[in-house]
């Protein structure tokens, strides 16, 4: 690749993954967020649930001073409460929609430009199309409300279907079906592709990304373990790069960068947020070591791209 990585993307990290003590919206949020904000390697950060409004406003001011782009992830709130935007139970779906709308209020407080949203559980092939219709309806309500809450991008994140998250979205073809229905009425709606999820989906970036090229807004990089269900890190746990039996290494991140550039998804005119989703999981791993690992992998991958 020619030129600086910052000419092509905003380099981000997911705060509540790097610092797992903050994942439930409490804990040392400001202290850990400051460590990221003071690190000029990162120009973007993805934050999640911050329950205390004063903490949220202090975080917003910190990130504004640090000149960082802020994205908001609803996953901590949604997954911890097992909320499902495509539930067949109307009351359960209503609760899920309400939670995302509350998250949109938090995102506005934080000055977030984008809000990440997961689909609910996959009900199986017999009811999948019906569930997709419910998901589209939920997302349409959310997108309408988002216009009143600063009009951020609403980004549906593509997860695995049968390994860990067991998400309706799910394979890239299903993501395409949803995006095609929503984008005409909601131009701020789009998709997020995570490098660590391709092995879990048994799909390849070079096949899947062109399929949804017109709807992709943001990207994650990360690692996973999936060959042996007995492995302690099996599934979608976002281990550090270089972990034993991991699926994603420097070469894969480098190839991902090249592919994104070839498809025109990163570049001087777009510069989307590309965030690392990694966390300390094993003995001897600390947030600081895992973040340093990630920065080295990104630098090396970019140099080789």
């Amino acid at each position: 690749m020619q030129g600086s990585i910052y000419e092509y993307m905003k380099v981000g990290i997911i705060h509540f993954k790097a610092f797992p003590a903050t994942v439930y919206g409490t804990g040392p949020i400001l202290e850990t967020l400051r460590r990221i904000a003071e690190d000029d390697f990162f120009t973007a950060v993805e934050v999640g649930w911050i329950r205390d409004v004063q903490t949220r406003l202090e975080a917003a001011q910190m990130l504004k001073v640090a000149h960082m782009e802020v994205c908001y992830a609803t996953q901590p709130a949604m997954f911890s409460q097992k909320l499902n935007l495509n539930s067949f139970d109307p009351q359960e779906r209503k609760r899920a929609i309400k939670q995302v709308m509350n998250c949109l209020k938090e995102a506005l407080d934080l000055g977030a430009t984008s809000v990440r949203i997961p689909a609910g559980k996959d009900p199986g092939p017999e009811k999948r199309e019906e569930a997709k219709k419910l998901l589209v309806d939920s997302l349409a309500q959310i997108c309408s409300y988002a216009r009143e809450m600063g009009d951020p991008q609403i980004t549906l994140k593509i997860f695995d279907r049968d390994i860990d998250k067991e998400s309706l979205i799910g394979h890239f073809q299903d993501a395409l079906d949803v995006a095609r229905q929503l984008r005409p009425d909601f131009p701020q709606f789009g998709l997020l592709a995570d490098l660590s999820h391709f092995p879990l989906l048994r799909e390849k970036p070079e096949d899947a990304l062109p399929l949804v090229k017109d709807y992709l807004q943001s990207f994650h990089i990360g690692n996973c373990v999936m060959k042996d269900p007995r492995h302690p890190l099996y599934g979608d746990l976002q281990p550090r790069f270089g972990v034993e039996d991991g699926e994603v290494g420097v070469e894969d991140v480098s190839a991902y960068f090249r592919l994104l550039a070839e498809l025109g998804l990163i570049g001087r005119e777009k510069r989307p947020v590309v965030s690392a989703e990694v966390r300390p999981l094993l003995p001897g791993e600390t947030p600081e070591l895992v973040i340093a690992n990630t920065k080295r992998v990104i630098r090396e991958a970019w140099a080789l791209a």
Side-chain angles (χ1 to χ4, degrees):
M1 301 293 292
Q2 297 294 317
S4 166
I5 191 172
Y6 301 105
E7 297 176 46
Y8 290 78
M9 66 182 77
K10 296 165 187 174
V11 182
I13 189 164
I14 298 172
H15 167 250
F16 56 88
K17 293 295 185 179
F19 296 96
T22 68
V23 71
Y24 296 115
T26 57
I29 290 170
L30 293 176
E31 302 93 312
T32 54
L33 199 55
R34 183 178 295 278
R35 295 185 212 175
I36 293 172
E38 291 178 346
D39 186 343
D40 66 2
F41 180 84
F42 299 108
T43 55
V45 63
E46 301 197 21
V47 298
W49 219 357
I50 303 179
R51 300 196 194 194
D52 179 68
V53 65
Q54 183 173 342
T55 302
R56 196 157 63 239
L57 295 177
E58 288 185 40
Q61 178 63 13
M62 180 195 305
L63 297 172
K64 182 178 180 180
V65 170
H67 192 62
M68 299 194 80
E69 179 151 350
V70 182
C71 304
Y72 184 98
T74 67
Q75 294 95 291
M78 299 296 281
F79 290 159
S80 65
Q81 299 177 87
K82 296 181 171 58
L83 296 174
N84 184 344
L85 287 170
N86 45 268
S87 173
F88 294 107
D89 180 338
Q91 291 305 311
E92 183 179 340
R93 190 162 72 98
K94 184 177 179 180
R95 286 194 296 273
I97 294 169
K98 183 177 180 180
Q99 178 61 71
V100 175
M101 289 180 174
N102 287 337
C103 287
L104 282 166
K105 295 175 185 176
E106 289 195 17
L108 179 64
D109 288 345
L110 288 160
T113 59
S114 181
V115 174
R116 292 31 173 133
I117 299 176
K121 292 287 186 179
D122 175 45
E126 299 83 5
K127 295 187 175 182
R128 190 169 293 146
E129 291 306 312
E130 186 181 352
K132 281 157 65 175
K133 291 177 183 177
L134 293 171
L135 177 63
V136 168
D137 180 76
S138 296
L139 290 171
Q141 294 181 53
I142 289 164
C143 288
S144 294
Y145 185 72
R147 288 172 172 164
E148 304 171 26
M149 293 289 118
D151 202 25
Q153 290 182 341
I154 299 298
T155 310
L156 179 65
K157 186 172 179 182
I158 302 166
F159 283 92
D160 70 273
R161 171 159 290 162
D162 60 5
I163 298 288
D164 194 311
K165 297 298 188 293
E166 300 177 340
S167 177
L168 174 66
I169 311 296
H171 291 282
F172 277 76
Q173 179 61 56
D174 295 294
L176 178 62
D177 293 343
V178 171
R180 277 177 171 165
Q181 293 180 68
L182 287 163
R183 177 62 71 81
D185 294 325
F186 303 104
Q188 287 285 74
F189 177 82
L191 303 173
L192 186 153
D194 188 327
L195 180 59
S196 72
H197 292 168
F198 286 97
L200 299 171
L201 284 163
R202 304 174 190 86
E203 295 189 300
K204 295 181 179 179
E206 59 269 28
D207 298 327
L209 292 185
L211 190 68
V212 295
K213 174 185 171 184
D214 294 338
Y215 304 99
L216 286 167
Q217 292 176 334
S218 302
F219 307 90
H220 284 171
I221 60 170
N223 196 6
C224 70
V225 174
M226 66 157 289
K227 289 188 178 71
D228 184 356
R230 298 168 298 176
H231 195 289
L233 301 184
Y234 178 78
D236 183 25
L237 294 182
Q238 305 94 35
R240 63 174 170 82
F241 295 105
V243 74
E244 186 177 358
D245 296 324
E247 295 288 333
V248 180
V250 171
E251 297 80 5
D252 304 288
V253 177
S254 187
Y256 196 53
F257 288 158
R258 284 196 302 274
L259 178 61
L260 294 180
E262 289 166 4
L263 293 173
L265 295 169
I266 59 173
R268 292 172 177 84
E269 294 182 1
K270 287 192 173 182
R271 296 182 63 237
V273 172
V274 180
S275 294
E277 187 170 17
V278 289
R279 59 174 167 166
L281 290 163
L282 297 174
E285 295 183 355
T286 65
E288 291 76 15
L289 284 172
V290 171
I291 290 171
N293 165 307
T294 301
K295 290 159 64 176
R296 292 183 179 107
V297 167
I298 291 173
R299 287 192 183 106
E300 188 175 355
W302 186 257
L304 296 174

